[in-house]
Amino acid sequence: MRLKFGLIVATVALITSAAPLMAADHQVQMLNKGTDGAMVFEPGFLKIAPGDTVTFIPTDKSHNVETFKGLIPDGVPDFKSKPSEQYQVKFDIPGAYVLKCTPHVGMGMVALIQVGDNPVNLEAIKIAKVPNMVRKRLDADLAQITQAQITQ
């Protein structure tokens, strides 16, 4: 009996300690110029699992990352980094997250992060009133979500 209890405790401890190791850390660079043009997050679209983290790296200075008001899942608190600051965010709640660089959002510097397989807030992002350059980049990113859902 004591051996079984010890085995159960050891198994639970192993599973509990391994859970954080299963989460991934993704990196997104904040650039003046990238493969998609000027003032970009690279990659601009990222699909991750709940519990994963994303580290935003200001490869070029004067960029930051901030939630785009109303374009994140319900119940998720807003966040905003300081300019030129490396910033890490853990994404626990499934959905689609639109993020922006505050000084360069008018130039279309946005990113779309899909957490999980079925983002429930896609319609809000599709119909949101945003600057033209933002809409252009978001539409390209949204097409990747649609593509990902078709191939699953």
Side-chain angles (χ1 to χ4, degrees), residues 70-72 98 120-130 135 142:
L71 300 182
I72 57 175
V98 178
V120 295
N121 58 325
L122 279 183
E123 198 56 39
I125 294 170
K126 288 178 182 177
I127 63 170
K129 301 266 190 233
V130 294
R135 175 53 54 206
L142 288 166

Side-chain angles (χ1 to χ4, degrees), residues 3-144:
L3 181 60
K4 284 184 183 178
F5 180 73
L7 185 58
I8 291 171
V9 169
T11 302
V12 168
L14 181 62
I15 290 170
T16 305
S17 66
L21 298 176
M22 294 174 7
D25 179 43
H26 308 269
Q27 294 188 347
V28 173
Q29 295 185 28
M30 298 182 275
L31 302 168
N32 291 342
K33 186 171 183 163
T35 57
D36 289 336
M39 303 302 169
V40 294
F41 289 95
E42 198 165 278
F45 171 76
L46 197 57
K47 181 180 178 186
I48 65 173
D52 284 0
T53 59
V54 177
T55 301
F56 295 90
I57 302 166
T59 306
D60 294 321
K61 303 300 177 208
S62 79
H63 297 295
N64 80 326
V65 62
E66 176 182 3
T67 51
F68 206 113
K69 189 159 183 74
L71 300 182
I72 57 175
D74 289 337
V76 173
D78 293 326
F79 61 83
K80 180 179 181 178
S81 73
K82 295 177 183 171
S84 302
E85 171 187 59
Q86 184 168 309
Y87 196 74
Q88 188 174 63
V89 181
K90 183 175 181 187
F91 291 88
D92 289 319
I93 299 175
Y97 294 71
V98 178
L99 307 174
K100 65 181 178 179
C101 172
T102 310
H104 304 112
V105 67
M107 299 175 76
M109 190 166 177
V110 293
L112 179 63
I113 298 181
Q114 177 184 348
V115 180
D117 291 326
N118 297 310
V120 295
N121 58 325
L122 279 183
E123 198 56 39
I125 294 170
K126 288 178 182 177
I127 63 170
K129 301 266 190 233
V130 294
N132 288 338
M133 291 294 292
V134 170
R135 175 53 54 206
K136 182 178 176 182
R137 288 212 170 129
L138 278 181
D139 286 347
D141 292 339
L142 288 166
Q144 292 185 62

